[in-house]
Amino acid sequence: MISQSSAVIEPGDTLDSLLGRAGLPPTQRAEVALALSGVYDVTDLRPGYRLEWTADPSDVTRLLSLSLIIEDGAEIALSFDGPVKAERLDPPILEVDRRETLKLQGSLFDALVARNAPERFAVDLTAILAGQIDFRRDIKGGETFALVWQEDQLPNGSIAGEPRLKYARLELAGGVLELVASDAAGPVIVFEDGEAVQRSSPPILGARLSSVFGRRNHPVLGGVRMHTGIDYAAPIGTEVSATGAGRIVFAGTIRGYGLTVDIDHGGGVVTRYAHLSEIEDTLRHGVRVKAGDQIGAVGATGLVSGPNLHYEVRLDGQPVDPREAEVVPEQDLASAADMNLLGSWRRLTGFSPQNEDQKG
């Protein structure tokens, strides 16, 4: 009978240590690692990944098959009928559109969790709509909130990758805020009572706001010091995007800030993105970028206690709180296609603005 075995990768495990515990000799462990490395970087092994293998019942050190199950159900399969070969097998993915409409009775985070909606949207929406609303102060209870997003489902029903926000609507006593994303990787447009008021991209998606603008105890130097931006805690390598259109005026290292990108948006406004692990190769002084363009990745360079993005807005050389006002100037807020998309999402979620009803 064929011997079947499996192992779940634990913190501190390496491919070699796992194969060693399976009883494979060093020469075969090296052969397996070499084959795997042809299609997968084995240094990226993470806790929770699974290794499955079958062996000859008469000689458990002779493998018949071996599979490494990684993120999103993908499988690296090795065959041993001849020279060892590796192949990556990605499961079929179904794109599913989901939508929810609910009444807010507490925090936005709690409302999303209650409907099994992505709780990361609470952070994303707070950052995107910071110029229009303070979710902690302005939500009184009873507001209608609608959300449309897209997610990738695996055959077993589990979710792969990150959900993509397409539309959101918050109906307040004094008006309606709507958000439209025509491209998951690009900027979003914010509408207030049907009028486009902001076209921008949050600097980072799905991150935790870890420090706000103002005086605070410095996590590295100690003592109370002015914090001139806001910090988002996120894993190293998380994509960082330009919040608005502009021109690169600095891309390099600044003492304390580490790897840093500065973007001049005109009108005396400059945004800064600091503590990066890397900067896009194409970014040089004078290069123009659009809202949503990737400019680098989260890191832990400079004076930091852990991986995070420091996002800063300067107006005429003075730091201002990015959450208090939308200071980055924007052009071409909404095209005809954007307005048509807004109408489509409204119909899908059953929303008819009062001023449009009165027109009929």
Side-chain angles (χ1 to χ4, degrees), residues 34-42 70 75-78 86-88:
L34 181 62
L36 277 172
S37 64
V39 295
Y40 182 74
D41 185 352
V42 295
I70 58 175
E75 176 184 356
I76 313 297
L78 270 63
E87 179 183 13
R88 180 178 175 124

Side-chain angles (χ1 to χ4, degrees), residues 93-96 150-154 158-164:
I93 291 178
L94 177 65
E95 288 188 347
V96 177
Q150 188 178 70
E151 57 190 24
D152 296 330
Q153 289 188 1
L154 298 174
S158 61
I159 305 302
E162 294 293 336
R164 298 172 293 280

Side-chain angles (χ1 to χ4, degrees), residues 85-269:
K85 294 182 295 185
E87 179 183 13
R88 180 178 175 124
L89 305 174
D90 289 302
I93 291 178
L94 177 65
E95 288 188 347
V96 177
D97 287 323
R98 290 190 56 190
R99 64 179 186 266
E100 290 284 351
T101 299
L102 49 94
K103 293 287 186 181
L104 293 180
Q105 299 300 339
S107 72
L108 178 58
F109 179 88
D110 291 340
L112 294 174
V113 170
R115 294 298 185 95
N116 196 30
E119 57 261 33
R120 57 164 280 189
F121 287 158
V123 176
D124 297 342
L125 288 166
T126 299
I128 294 170
L129 298 175
Q132 280 71 40
I133 184 173
D134 184 330
F135 276 90
R136 295 169 298 177
R137 183 181 60 201
D138 298 334
I139 298 299
K140 307 302 182 183
E143 294 87 354
T144 298
F145 179 73
L147 186 70
V148 180
W149 73 97
Q150 188 178 70
E151 57 190 24
D152 296 330
Q153 289 188 1
L154 298 174
N156 63 3
S158 61
I159 305 302
E162 294 293 336
R164 298 172 293 280
L165 182 63
K166 308 297 287 184
Y167 172 78
R169 182 179 68 253
L170 180 61
E171 299 176 40
L172 302 162
V176 177
L177 292 175
E178 293 170 281
L179 179 151
V180 172
S182 56
D183 182 350
V188 299
I189 303 174
V190 176
F191 294 86
E192 188 168 358
D193 295 329
E195 179 182 352
V197 295
Q198 176 185 331
R199 181 184 181 91
S200 66
S201 175
I204 190 171
L205 290 173
R208 176 177 60 86
L209 186 64
S210 57
S211 186
V212 298
F213 183 92
R215 297 182 66 80
R216 64 164 185 177
N217 287 316
H218 196 282
V220 178
L221 299 176
V224 177
R225 297 168 183 261
M226 183 64 184
H227 186 231
T228 55
I230 56 178
D231 292 346
Y232 296 93
I236 290 177
T238 303
E239 180 178 325
V240 175
S241 302
T243 55
R247 179 173 55 87
I248 302 296
V249 291
F250 182 83
T253 300
I254 300 177
R255 185 177 180 181
Y257 287 100
L259 276 180
T260 301
V261 172
D262 286 352
I263 301 175
D264 186 343
H265 302 275
V269 177

Side-chain angles (χ1 to χ4, degrees), residues 131 198 265-271 311 313-315 320-322 324-330:
Q198 176 185 331
H265 302 275
V269 177
V270 172
T271 54
Y311 174 65
V313 178
R314 290 174 174 258
L315 180 61
V320 296
D321 190 341
E324 291 299 323
E326 182 57 38
V327 297
V328 177
E330 295 289 346

